[in-house]
């Protein structure tokens, strides 16, 4: 069992570590700062002393010496939606792996004034750079107005933000889903879109529409939802009014869940009568009835790539990228199949 984590009733300081390890105060400092000019035997002795004393460096004092806080700010907005919440988790994990702390400012809305105030508040905490989770058009406009003496990087804003950014290639994901359904023989694909002020929804709609246009397939009227399963259910009821619907691409998995319920209640076979594809690949998607074919977004990878962009700017790496698009992946499950025979579709009229 190690020594007590107090020395004479107080928290241990660097001098206590030096005394226990039999080295100088400067040597302990070099080990803490990962200086390569320390013998491996000496480094190990210092690390053992740190563990025995349960010593924790004074981050404020270290910042004064190194002028580095090793802290990054994240501006997010108040939401429980799977995408943004998973993005934030991915950023936190990536920051920890890169040796940075994270300070989060959560906003009710992503307007220009709110984002600027959040960036200023984070700068007051000595952050070295700021990541902004910016999936809405209002956030892109807000970023164009932000003034900051530290680097700012957008995550989830596609290619529209005027600052460096990382995003999933939503248009490519929508193209893959739509092309797959056409490949299965469906005459066209109906789309349940997300809110029009969301960049993800805009890109997914654009990808769906482009594939249909390129294939010379009819482009049906879009049915819009608000990302919720309830809105997907209502969209499904609306689409059921059209007996020619055989394939539906939903802009997220929660709306796809609502569509599946509407179709099941109406006695429509999935995928025998109608194929359904979602977007996101939420953890529950493989447990839907039937398991959902969907477009997987790797939010951990997105957070890591956004974090890498910001760290490269913070550390002044020459030639660092300004934009990164993360490729999505179409995951095939039981909710899609070949288009039903024309005769069966006509028989339902």
């Amino acid at each position: 069992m190690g020594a007590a984590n107090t020395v004479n009733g107080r928290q241990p300081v660097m001098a206590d570590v030096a005394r226990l390890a039999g080295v100088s105060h400067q040597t302990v400092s070099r080990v803490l700062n990962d200086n390569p000019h320390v013998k491996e035997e000496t480094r190990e002795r210092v690390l053992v002393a740190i563990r025995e004393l349960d010593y924790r460096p004074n981050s404020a004092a270290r910042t004064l010496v190194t002028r580095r806080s090793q802290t990054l700010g994240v501006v997010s907005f108040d939401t429980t939606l799977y995408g943004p919440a998973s993005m934030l988790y991915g950023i936190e994990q990536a920051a920890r792996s890169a040796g940075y702390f994270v300070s989060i400012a959560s906003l009710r809305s992503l307007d220009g004034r709110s984002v600027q105030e959040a960036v200023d508040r984070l700068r007051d905490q000595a952050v070295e750079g700021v990541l902004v989770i910016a999936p809405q058009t209002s956030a892109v406009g807000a970023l164009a107005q932000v003034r900051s003496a530290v680097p700012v990087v957008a995550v989830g804003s596609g290619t529209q933000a005027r600052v460096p950014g990382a995003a999933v290639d939503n248009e490519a994901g929508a193209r893959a889903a739509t092309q797959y359904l056409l490949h299965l023989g469906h005459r066209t694909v109906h789309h349940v879109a997300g809110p029009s002020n969301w960049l993800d929804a805009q890109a997914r709609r654009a990808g769906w529409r482009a594939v249909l246009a390129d294939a010379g397939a009819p482009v049906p009227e879009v049915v819009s939802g608000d990302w919720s399963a309830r809105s997907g259910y209502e969209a499904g009821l609306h689409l059921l009014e059209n007996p020619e619907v055989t394939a539906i691409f939903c802009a997220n998995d929660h709306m796809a869940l609502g569509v599946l319920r509407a179709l099941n209640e109406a006695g429509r076979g999935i995928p025998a009568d109608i194929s359904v594809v979602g977007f996101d690949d939420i953890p529950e998607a493989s447990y839907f009835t039937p398991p959902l074919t969907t477009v997987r977004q790797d939010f951990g990878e997105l957070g890591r790539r956004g974090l890498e962009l910001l760290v490269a700017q913070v550390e002044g790496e020459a030639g660092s990228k300004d934009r990164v698009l993360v490729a999505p992946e179409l995951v095939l499950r039981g909710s899609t199949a070949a288009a039903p025979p024309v005769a069966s579709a006509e028989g339902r009229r």
Side-chain angles (χ1 to χ4, degrees):
M1 186 173 179
N5 61 0
T6 60
V7 178
N8 297 326
R10 58 172 173 76
Q11 292 296 317
V13 296
M14 195 180 294
D16 299 315
V17 175
R19 190 177 303 112
L20 182 61
V23 299
S24 68
H25 180 282
Q26 290 84 354
T27 298
V28 176
S29 179
R30 292 189 190 101
V31 171
L32 290 171
N33 289 296
D34 203 24
N35 189 306
H37 303 298
V38 179
K39 291 181 180 179
E40 195 55 40
E41 179 185 347
T42 303
R43 185 186 303 277
E44 184 58 30
R45 202 159 66 243
V46 170
L47 292 174
V48 168
I50 288 172
R51 287 194 293 269
E52 287 190 7
L53 292 172
D54 194 23
Y55 169 70
R56 293 291 181 271
N58 185 318
S59 58
R62 176 184 250 183
T63 299
L64 287 173
V65 173
T66 65
R67 300 192 177 184
R68 295 288 307 275
S69 67
Q70 294 297 122
T71 301
L72 302 173
V74 178
V75 177
S76 184
F77 65 105
D78 189 12
T79 181
T80 57
L81 288 171
Y82 175 74
S86 300
M87 215 178 295
L88 180 58
Y89 178 76
I91 289 168
E92 288 183 301
Q93 295 299 304
R96 184 178 305 146
S97 298
Y100 283 86
F101 301 101
V102 170
S103 183
I104 300 170
S106 184
L107 306 178
R108 290 186 179 274
S109 63
L110 290 169
D111 58 89
R113 180 176 179 180
S114 298
V115 172
Q116 182 66 62
E117 289 176 351
V119 170
D120 290 342
R121 191 160 68 248
L122 290 168
R123 286 187 58 203
D124 289 342
Q125 298 174 35
V127 300
E128 297 186 52
V130 178
L131 279 165
V132 181
I133 297 177
Q136 298 174 337
T137 52
S138 60
V140 172
L143 284 169
Q145 305 171 34
V146 167
R147 299 176 305 280
S148 175
V150 299
V152 176
V153 167
V155 182
S157 61
T159 59
Q160 298 189 37
R162 296 183 184 178
V163 298
V168 168
D169 194 340
N170 286 285
E171 188 167 338
R175 280 177 172 272
T178 309
Q179 285 169 343
Y180 176 67
L181 289 167
L182 291 181
H183 176 73
L184 289 174
H186 296 277
R187 176 171 171 266
T188 189
V189 178
H190 291 255
H191 184 41
V192 179
S196 60
N197 64 327
W198 279 68
L199 299 166
D200 292 351
Q202 293 173 12
R204 292 168 198 176
R205 182 184 302 197
W208 161 79
R209 188 183 300 276
V211 168
L212 294 182
D214 290 345
V219 181
E221 182 181 352
V222 170
V223 183
S224 293
D226 61 8
W227 297 130
S228 70
R230 176 194 55 77
S231 70
Y233 176 75
E234 292 171 354
L237 294 178
H238 176 76
L239 290 170
L240 280 167
E241 296 174 3
N242 181 354
E244 295 185 354
V245 173
T246 65
I248 303 171
F249 166 48
C250 300
N252 81 335
D253 290 347
H254 286 101
M255 292 193 298
L257 174 61
V259 167
L260 291 177
R261 176 175 172 177
L263 299 181
N264 277 311
E265 287 181 352
R268 303 298 289 275
I270 309 164
D273 296 327
I274 300 178
S275 291
V276 179
V277 177
F279 205 112
D280 282 343
D281 196 24
I282 62 176
E284 299 83 3
S286 61
Y287 297 94
F288 288 2
T289 303
L292 184 66
T293 293
T294 186
V295 179
R296 175 181 295 158
Q297 299 193 73
D298 189 338
F299 291 105
E301 176 69 4
L302 180 59
R304 185 180 71 81
R305 300 294 289 274
L307 197 284
E308 284 179 353
L309 278 179
L310 183 59
V311 170
Q313 301 229 358
V314 166
E315 298 183 355
E317 294 182 8
S320 59
K321 294 180 180 179
D322 282 340
R323 300 201 182 280
V324 172
L325 280 178
V326 177
E329 175 191 1
L330 181 63
V331 179
L332 305 182
R333 297 195 181 103
S335 65
T336 48
V342 175
S344 65
E346 291 177 346
R348 291 193 296 270
R349 296 182 185 177

